[in-house]
Amino acid sequence: MSQQSRSIVQNAWKAFASHDADRISAVFTEDAEWLAPPGNATAIALDVPSHMVGRKAIARFLAEDFPRLFVRDVTVTFHEFHADGERVVVEETMTATLANGDHYANDYCFVFELRDELIHRVREYADTARGHRMVFGGVPS
């Protein structure tokens, strides 16, 4: 199951990169959740929730909202995939050009929980202070 779980998550990243809402939606359970750090720079800059519930909300964010902030040159460098049963941990670095033309780079860790070969929950971890510096040029108060 671990290799299959790893493949499911690797294919999901390909769907995310497509910015195709239907393709993205297809990798999530209907009641999926994406939990990012509260007050993270992406959520603040895009005025979106840091806790998304439902495959439609997650697909809309990845297909429509995310590209409004990270406008080009989005590159994800995967460092590790750790799979154990229906849980997959992904360590990565994402770089991109922001809407204001500035460069963005931050490290992330994602914990994917699968159910019935679909993503049921994503817990996102990142250096939120670095994210704020990259997006807004300062550290949050």
Side-chain angles (χ1 to χ4, degrees), residues 5 18 20 46 48 62 64-65 71 79 85 87 110 115 132:
S5 296
S18 75
D20 178 320
L46 294 171
V48 297
L62 292 170
E64 298 173 20
D65 296 324
V71 296
H79 304 296
R87 182 165 294 167
F110 293 91
R115 185 177 72 200
H132 274 268

Side-chain angles (χ1 to χ4, degrees), residues 2-4 6-7 15-17 20 35 44 46 50-51 54 56 60 68 70 73 78 83 89 106-107 117 122 124 138:
S2 292
Q3 184 57 41
Q4 181 180 359
R6 179 185 169 128
S7 294
F16 302 165
D20 178 320
L35 297 98
I44 291 170
L46 294 171
S50 58
H51 181 185
K56 288 181 183 178
R60 183 177 50 252
R68 289 189 296 122
F70 304 99
D73 308 320
F78 295 107
V89 178
N106 206 355
D107 298 316
E117 299 184 7
V122 180
E124 174 183 332

Side-chain angles (χ1 to χ4, degrees), residues 31-110:
D31 60 343
E33 294 180 85
W34 189 300
L35 297 98
N40 72 78
T42 301
I44 291 170
L46 294 171
D47 193 26
V48 297
S50 58
H51 181 185
M52 294 173 280
V53 179
R55 71 165 50 140
K56 288 181 183 178
I58 296 167
R60 183 177 50 252
F61 170 78
L62 292 170
E64 298 173 20
D65 296 324
F66 181 90
R68 289 189 296 122
L69 180 60
F70 304 99
V71 296
R72 66 181 178 280
D73 308 320
V74 177
T75 303
V76 175
T77 303
F78 295 107
H79 304 296
E80 295 288 336
F81 275 84
H82 305 279
D84 184 13
E86 292 190 324
R87 182 165 294 167
V88 180
V89 178
V90 179
E91 297 174 77
E92 69 172 54
T93 299
M94 185 184 86
T95 60
T97 300
L98 296 170
N100 66 6
D102 288 349
H103 177 73
Y104 178 90
N106 206 355
D107 298 316
Y108 292 84
C109 181
F110 293 91

Side-chain angles (χ1 to χ4, degrees), residues 1 4 8 26-29 86 114-119:
M1 183 64 189
Q4 181 180 359
I8 289 168
V27 304
F28 288 98
T29 63
E86 292 190 324
L114 307 178
R115 185 177 72 200
D116 300 326
E117 299 184 7
L118 296 171
I119 298 168

